[in-house]
């Protein structure tokens, strides 16, 4: 059984959703970043952390890639063109959506007050909107990276949810409809219920 460490309304949720999609058994330990429990598992102190036996893996994308490859679900096979396309979308989401949202969060409440630049958020909103339109251009079916649900869909939906809570309004109707369909998946609903409980 896996142990997943991290507060559920963070990037930890991405891993929870994947674990529900893959029907994996896991124990969720909702500890905040830099807490003693997290630092025992990973010297970085960041969440999420996945414990598999004696091994600890940090970074949500690394954890998701590991689990998807290990259990053969929510991914295209490594070494295929479909996987290369999936990885390209994954990197696009992390570089162009996640990074922008994380920068906004850092300048809102994470950095010490004297190092925050609140005015940067207008620029970040513009950048996020432009990047969301670029992501929307990839939508040519029900999923973001081809003909099947993959970890790229989890990442994209998580970032679209995060954008909403950060007041980064997504105006693209196709992306909003896509995110609504992804949130209707049983795996998402199971993870959301577990996160709330």
């Amino acid at each position: 059984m896996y142990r997943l460490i991290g507060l559920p309304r963070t990037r930890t949720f991405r891993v929870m959703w994947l674990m529900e999609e893959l029907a994996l058994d896991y124990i969720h330990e909702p500890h905040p970043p830099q807490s003693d429990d997290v630092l025992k598992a990973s010297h970085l102190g960041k969440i999420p952390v996945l414990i598999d036996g004696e091994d600890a893996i940090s970074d949500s994308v690394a954890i998701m890639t590991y689990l998807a490859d290990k259990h053969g679900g929510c991914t295209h096979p490594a070494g295929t063109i479909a996987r290369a396309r999936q990885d390209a979308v994954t990197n696009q989401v992390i570089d162009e959506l996640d990074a922008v949202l994380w920068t906004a969060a850092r300048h809102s409440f994470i950095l010490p007050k004297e190092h925050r630049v609140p005015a940067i958020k207008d620029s970040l909103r513009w950048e996020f909107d432009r990047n969301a339109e670029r992501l929307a251009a990839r939508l040519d079916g029900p999923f973001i990276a081809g003909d099947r649900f993959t970890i790229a869909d989890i990442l994209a939906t998580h970032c679209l949810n995060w954008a909403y809570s950060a007041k980064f309004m997504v105006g693209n109707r196709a992306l909003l409809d896509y995110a609504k369909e992804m949130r209707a998946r049983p795996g998402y609903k199971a993870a959301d219920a577990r996160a709330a409980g």
Side-chain angles (χ1 to χ4, degrees):
M1 181 176 291
Y2 295 107
R3 285 174 56 212
L4 178 63
I5 304 170
L7 296 174
R9 298 299 179 192
T10 64
R11 290 180 178 110
T12 303
F13 184 82
R14 300 168 173 178
V15 180
M16 292 174 70
W17 181 4
L18 175 64
M19 295 178 97
E20 295 294 339
E21 291 281 347
L22 296 173
L24 301 179
D25 288 329
Y26 67 100
I27 296 167
H28 175 231
E29 300 174 16
H31 301 298
Q34 302 302 321
S35 64
D36 289 343
D37 293 291
V38 173
L39 286 165
K40 283 179 198 171
S42 172
H43 70 280
L44 296 174
K46 295 181 178 182
I47 56 173
V49 179
L50 179 76
I51 309 297
D52 184 2
E54 298 296 314
D55 296 306
I57 306 165
S58 58
D59 184 87
S60 63
V61 178
I63 294 167
M64 293 168 69
T65 301
Y66 168 71
L67 290 173
D69 283 343
K70 181 176 180 180
H71 296 282
C74 301
T75 188
H76 292 280
T80 65
I81 291 295
R83 174 60 172 271
R85 289 185 180 127
Q86 172 190 318
D87 290 345
V89 177
T90 296
N91 286 314
Q92 179 183 357
V93 170
I94 295 305
D95 291 345
E96 297 188 357
L97 300 184
D98 186 358
V100 172
L101 293 166
W102 178 238
T103 301
R106 291 172 63 208
H107 286 280
S108 296
F109 58 88
I110 294 171
L111 292 172
K113 214 170 203 174
E114 66 273 16
H115 294 291
R116 297 178 197 165
V117 182
I120 198 173
K121 287 190 269 184
D122 288 338
S123 174
L124 293 172
R125 283 189 178 91
W126 172 85
E127 186 178 2
F128 183 89
D129 190 53
R130 182 198 64 176
N131 294 345
E133 289 297 325
R134 290 159 45 118
L135 184 68
R138 286 189 175 269
L139 279 172
D140 61 358
F143 305 114
I144 204 83
D147 61 354
R148 71 173 73 164
F149 179 84
T150 68
I151 63 174
D153 292 295
I154 293 174
L155 295 168
T157 304
H158 183 262
C159 284
L160 293 170
N161 291 350
W162 183 2
Y164 179 81
S165 66
K167 297 185 174 39
F168 277 50
M169 295 301 113
V170 176
N172 186 287
R173 185 81 249 159
L175 272 183
L176 292 172
D177 291 344
Y178 159 79
K180 185 177 180 180
E181 285 183 32
M182 295 302 104
R183 289 191 300 269
R185 293 180 64 85
Y188 179 93
K189 290 180 177 180
D192 195 43
R194 192 164 180 161

